Amino acid sequence: MSSTPKHRRIAIGSDHAGFELKEWLKAKLIEAGYECQDFGTDSPQSCDYPDFSFAVAQAVVSGQCDTGILVCGTGIGTSIAANKVRGARCALCWNEYTARMARSHNDANILALGARVIGAELAWEIVKVWLETPFSGEERHCRRLQKISQMEGEGISPQEAKTTC
Amino acid sequence: MSSTPKHRRIAIGSDHAGFELKEWLKAKLIEAGYECQDFGTDSPQSCDYPDFSFAVAQAVVSGQCDTGILVCGTGIGTSIAANKVRGARCALCWNEYTARMARSHNDANILALGARVIGAELAWEIVKVWLETPFSGEERHCRRLQKISQMEGEGISPQEAKTTC
Amino acid sequence: MSSTPKHRRIAIGSDHAGFELKEWLKAKLIEAGYECQDFGTDSPQSCDYPDFSFAVAQAVVSGQCDTGILVCGTGIGTSIAANKVRGARCALCWNEYTARMARSHNDANILALGARVIGAELAWEIVKVWLETPFSGEERHCRRLQKISQMEGEGISPQEAKTTC
Amino acid sequence: MSSTPKHRRIAIGSDHAGFELKEWLKAKLIEAGYECQDFGTDSPQSCDYPDFSFAVAQAVVSGQCDTGILVCGTGIGTSIAANKVRGARCALCWNEYTARMARSHNDANILALGARVIGAELAWEIVKVWLETPFSGEERHCRRLQKISQMEGEGISPQEAKTTC
């Protein structure tokens, strides 16, 4: 890698199903020298994943943090919710390959993980790849990201977009 | 299952990386009696996943189709793009468990698959689970989905939301 | 399924890396009405997976138990070791599809799981599929199993076999 | 990595379900400068995985080849069969993490892959990790491998072993 990624301030969050893994990953990240801002939840008690997804996504798109990590049971709910935030590109990854592609091809800024589906050690390997892989910056990937941004900017559904254009 | 899911009209789409798997799944779906509306791409030539993600998502949220299937290399790009559409809940699944949870817990209406990561036969098993699993309708899941809808309705980033409220 | 599988007595074992998941699965199995014979290990202290792989494999091939479950970090070490036992067919599974195929096509009698790679809830889904799926008994699958048995019966490496035949 | 692994001569084989992926991987390996000995099958016509598993395992344990790659539908049948060969340590891998562990911890000499479960590009990433990862040589791992060898050397089931010892 030619450039060192600067993902030093990490926004982390989870629901109850992801609580234990979030705590475990947070400890590993701090031990590895990263700064973690924990947006909760702070217990294994039942709660709603969108609350934490939105908080982490906001911290990332606002520039308060450099990247985000979200954990729920499968990673699905939290990734759907996070992607509703303008500027958020949340990638659900389940192995190192998907993490590498999410960063290098999709310039994803939030990682979603499923605590009921993957083991903790694999999760940590995925996080390491995530933090160490820069966006490739290739033109075709930039063009695709711009198409996503454009859709977001319209703030409307594509159907409505068609009607108004 | 007490009620038969009514996912009969399927919107399907892919980029070039997912083209071959999309065609294979489409043939299986038609053979199994489903109606498929193919939103492209129609060749293995390089193209942009957001175009097909938006088209499939629009077909689903408008009610034109009952559910959607999107395929790209990892499923990541296409799921990020599809989730930008208001009302779309696109779930990236890589095994039967994630597909079952995505339907029963998240009431996801679009399935994303990664053609470079999973084999075709596993993809088909995932699709079958997807089409046969109804939403549980449990109150806690409904409440979480409403939180997502509320965020979408605001059409703004959570940061802006805070400022204006 | 026409016939109810009779996997009621389960031999279970793990090394230190699989200890926690083994204990969790054992509790779930007992709760579900299965009889579990635990061949250790009985703590998270470092130990050698072959010891437990051989013990579980022996319990299964001798008929003492109906099926076996082995857990180590990735499932790889324990599956290699168990398969060295004559009559053992140990399948490393990481989703429901592989578990179903392992039973229906390979008549596998021991399930290997990787505690560092898959989550506990997914592991339990895999175990349930394992215990509920019968061998198909199809001729082509029987013929392949007989080829494995024949190689085992020779008790020699194929190279030696060639020399002596 | 301090030492360059010397996996230059690769024994490769598959059944019909793995045929297409085997051919694809073989072309990639040759392009990358590896020497491939193909032990079949040579068409998508139905055949028996043990035949190819034994041939590849023999080529590896005899020293004719440096490492082996086996492909079947799930990787399960071919890994069970290959592990029946004395000296073979066949690891079924489904992501880069399992491949790295199989080499560094288990000194596995044959890689099994499931063509119906994983995509071709992921398979290639796994193969690359496999070929580039040396055995760690740590004492605890050596001790475990010796326990496997000892069991193989006895050429008998553990039950019989107990009776005769």
Side-chain angles (χ1 to χ4, degrees):
Chain A
M1 269 170 263
S2 54
S3 67
T4 309
K6 305 202 183 52
H7 292 147
R8 305 310 301 181
R9 297 169 305 163
I10 300 168
I12 195 163
S14 76
D15 69 355
H16 52 288
F19 172 68
E20 194 181 355
L21 180 55
K22 183 204 66 173
E23 292 296 308
W24 191 83
L25 289 172
K26 189 173 60 174
K28 299 282 279 184
L29 286 163
I30 290 168
E31 194 190 331
Y34 291 94
E35 182 188 326
C36 271
Q37 293 193 28
D38 187 346
F39 290 85
T41 186
D42 54 10
S43 87
Q45 269 204 297
S46 183
C47 59
D48 297 341
Y49 56 80
D51 297 338
F52 311 96
S53 308
F54 295 147
V56 163
Q58 178 178 7
V60 173
V61 301
S62 70
Q64 182 186 339
C65 288
D66 301 308
T67 195
I69 299 175
L70 282 166
V71 192
C72 72
T74 58
I76 290 168
T78 205
S79 64
I80 291 174
N83 277 316
K84 295 303 180 187
V85 175
R86 205 186 289 175
R89 287 183 298 279
C90 182
L92 175 47
C93 299
W94 64 97
N95 57 28
E96 297 161 88
Y97 177 67
T98 47
R100 204 161 57 247
M101 292 298 108
R103 288 289 308 125
S104 65
H105 287 195
N106 305 109
D107 196 20
N109 49 18
I110 302 169
L111 169 66
L113 296 169
R116 291 177 170 156
V117 196
I118 64 169
E121 282 83 358
L122 176 58
W124 177 236
E125 297 301 314
I126 291 170
V127 166
K128 285 193 290 184
V129 168
W130 180 269
L131 295 171
E132 291 161 9
T133 307
F135 176 48
S136 74
E138 289 174 29
E139 194 277 336
R140 70 185 192 283
H141 296 309
C142 293
R143 186 181 64 237
R144 292 158 191 168
L145 297 180
Q146 282 161 0
K147 289 190 175 182
I148 295 174
S149 298
Q150 192 183 341
M151 179 59 60
E152 286 181 310
E154 297 173 358
I156 46 175
S157 76
Q159 201 178 19
E160 291 170 325
K162 269 203 167 167
T163 316
T164 57
C165 290
Chain B
M1 267 170 266
S2 52
S3 67
T4 309
K6 307 207 181 47
H7 292 147
R8 306 308 302 181
R9 298 168 305 163
I10 300 169
I12 196 164
S14 77
D15 70 355
H16 53 289
F19 172 68
E20 194 181 353
L21 180 55
K22 183 204 67 172
E23 293 295 308
W24 191 83
L25 289 172
K26 189 173 60 175
K28 299 280 281 185
L29 286 163
I30 291 167
E31 193 189 332
Y34 291 93
E35 181 188 330
C36 271
Q37 294 193 28
D38 187 347
F39 290 84
T41 186
D42 55 9
S43 86
Q45 269 204 297
S46 184
C47 59
D48 298 341
Y49 57 80
D51 297 339
F52 310 97
S53 308
F54 295 146
V56 163
Q58 179 178 4
V60 172
V61 301
S62 70
Q64 182 186 340
C65 288
D66 301 308
T67 195
I69 299 174
L70 282 165
V71 192
C72 72
T74 58
I76 290 167
T78 204
S79 64
I80 292 174
N83 277 316
K84 294 304 181 188
V85 175
R86 203 185 292 174
R89 288 183 299 277
C90 181
L92 175 47
C93 300
W94 64 97
N95 56 30
E96 296 160 89
Y97 177 66
T98 46
R100 203 161 59 246
M101 291 300 108
R103 288 289 308 127
S104 64
H105 287 194
N106 306 109
D107 197 18
N109 49 19
I110 303 168
L111 168 66
L113 296 168
R116 291 176 170 158
V117 196
I118 63 170
E121 282 84 359
L122 176 58
W124 176 236
E125 297 300 314
I126 291 169
V127 167
K128 284 192 291 185
V129 168
W130 180 270
L131 295 172
E132 291 161 11
T133 307
F135 176 48
S136 74
E138 289 174 29
E139 193 278 334
R140 69 185 192 282
H141 296 310
C142 293
R143 185 181 65 239
R144 292 159 191 167
L145 297 180
Q146 282 161 1
K147 288 190 176 183
I148 295 174
S149 298
Q150 192 182 342
M151 179 60 61
E152 286 182 309
E154 296 173 0
I156 46 174
S157 76
Q159 200 178 21
E160 291 170 325
K162 267 201 169 169
T163 316
T164 56
C165 291
Chain C
M1 268 171 264
S2 54
S3 68
T4 309
K6 305 201 184 52
H7 291 147
R8 304 310 300 183
R9 297 168 307 164
I10 300 169
I12 195 163
S14 77
D15 69 356
H16 52 289
F19 172 68
E20 194 181 353
L21 181 55
K22 182 203 67 173
E23 293 296 307
W24 191 83
L25 289 172
K26 189 173 61 175
K28 299 281 278 184
L29 286 163
I30 290 167
E31 194 190 331
Y34 291 93
E35 181 187 329
C36 270
Q37 294 193 28
D38 187 345
F39 289 85
T41 186
D42 53 11
S43 87
Q45 269 206 297
S46 183
C47 60
D48 298 339
Y49 56 80
D51 297 340
F52 310 97
S53 308
F54 295 147
V56 163
Q58 178 178 5
V60 172
V61 301
S62 71
Q64 183 186 337
C65 289
D66 300 308
T67 195
I69 299 174
L70 282 165
V71 192
C72 72
T74 57
I76 289 168
T78 205
S79 65
I80 292 174
N83 278 316
K84 295 304 181 186
V85 174
R86 202 185 292 172
R89 288 184 298 277
C90 181
L92 175 48
C93 299
W94 64 96
N95 56 30
E96 296 162 89
Y97 177 67
T98 47
R100 204 162 58 244
M101 292 298 110
R103 289 289 308 128
S104 65
H105 288 194
N106 305 109
D107 197 18
N109 49 20
I110 302 168
L111 168 66
L113 296 168
R116 291 176 170 157
V117 197
I118 63 170
E121 282 83 0
L122 176 58
W124 176 235
E125 298 300 314
I126 291 170
V127 166
K128 285 192 290 185
V129 168
W130 179 269
L131 295 172
E132 290 162 10
T133 308
F135 176 49
S136 74
E138 288 174 30
E139 194 278 332
R140 70 185 193 282
H141 295 309
C142 293
R143 184 180 67 237
R144 291 158 192 168
L145 297 180
Q146 282 161 1
K147 288 189 176 184
I148 295 175
S149 298
Q150 193 183 341
M151 178 59 61
E152 285 182 309
E154 295 175 0
I156 48 175
S157 76
Q159 199 179 21
E160 290 170 325
K162 268 203 169 166
T163 317
T164 56
C165 291
Chain D
M1 269 169 262
S2 54
S3 67
T4 310
K6 306 203 181 50
H7 291 147
R8 305 310 299 182
R9 297 168 305 165
I10 299 169
I12 196 163
S14 77
D15 69 355
H16 52 289
F19 173 67
E20 194 181 353
L21 181 55
K22 183 203 66 172
E23 293 295 308
W24 191 83
L25 289 173
K26 189 172 62 174
K28 299 281 281 182
L29 286 164
I30 290 167
E31 193 189 332
Y34 291 94
E35 181 187 328
C36 271
Q37 293 192 27
D38 187 346
F39 289 85
T41 186
D42 54 9
S43 87
Q45 269 205 297
S46 183
C47 59
D48 298 339
Y49 56 81
D51 297 340
F52 310 96
S53 308
F54 294 147
V56 163
Q58 179 178 4
V60 172
V61 300
S62 70
Q64 183 186 335
C65 288
D66 300 309
T67 196
I69 298 174
L70 282 165
V71 192
C72 71
T74 58
I76 289 169
T78 205
S79 64
I80 291 174
N83 277 316
K84 294 303 180 186
V85 175
R86 204 186 289 175
R89 288 184 298 279
C90 181
L92 175 48
C93 299
W94 64 98
N95 56 29
E96 296 161 271
Y97 177 67
T98 47
R100 202 161 61 246
M101 292 298 109
R103 288 290 307 128
S104 64
H105 287 194
N106 305 110
D107 197 19
N109 50 20
I110 302 167
L111 169 65
L113 295 169
R116 291 176 171 158
V117 195
I118 63 171
E121 282 83 358
L122 176 58
W124 176 236
E125 297 301 314
I126 291 170
V127 165
K128 285 192 288 185
V129 168
W130 180 269
L131 295 171
E132 289 160 12
T133 307
F135 176 48
S136 73
E138 289 174 30
E139 194 277 334
R140 70 185 193 282
H141 295 309
C142 293
R143 185 180 65 237
R144 292 159 191 167
L145 297 180
Q146 282 161 1
K147 288 190 175 184
I148 295 175
S149 298
Q150 194 182 340
M151 180 59 62
E152 285 181 310
E154 296 174 358
I156 46 176
S157 76
Q159 198 178 23
E160 290 169 325
K162 269 205 167 164
T163 318
T164 56
C165 289

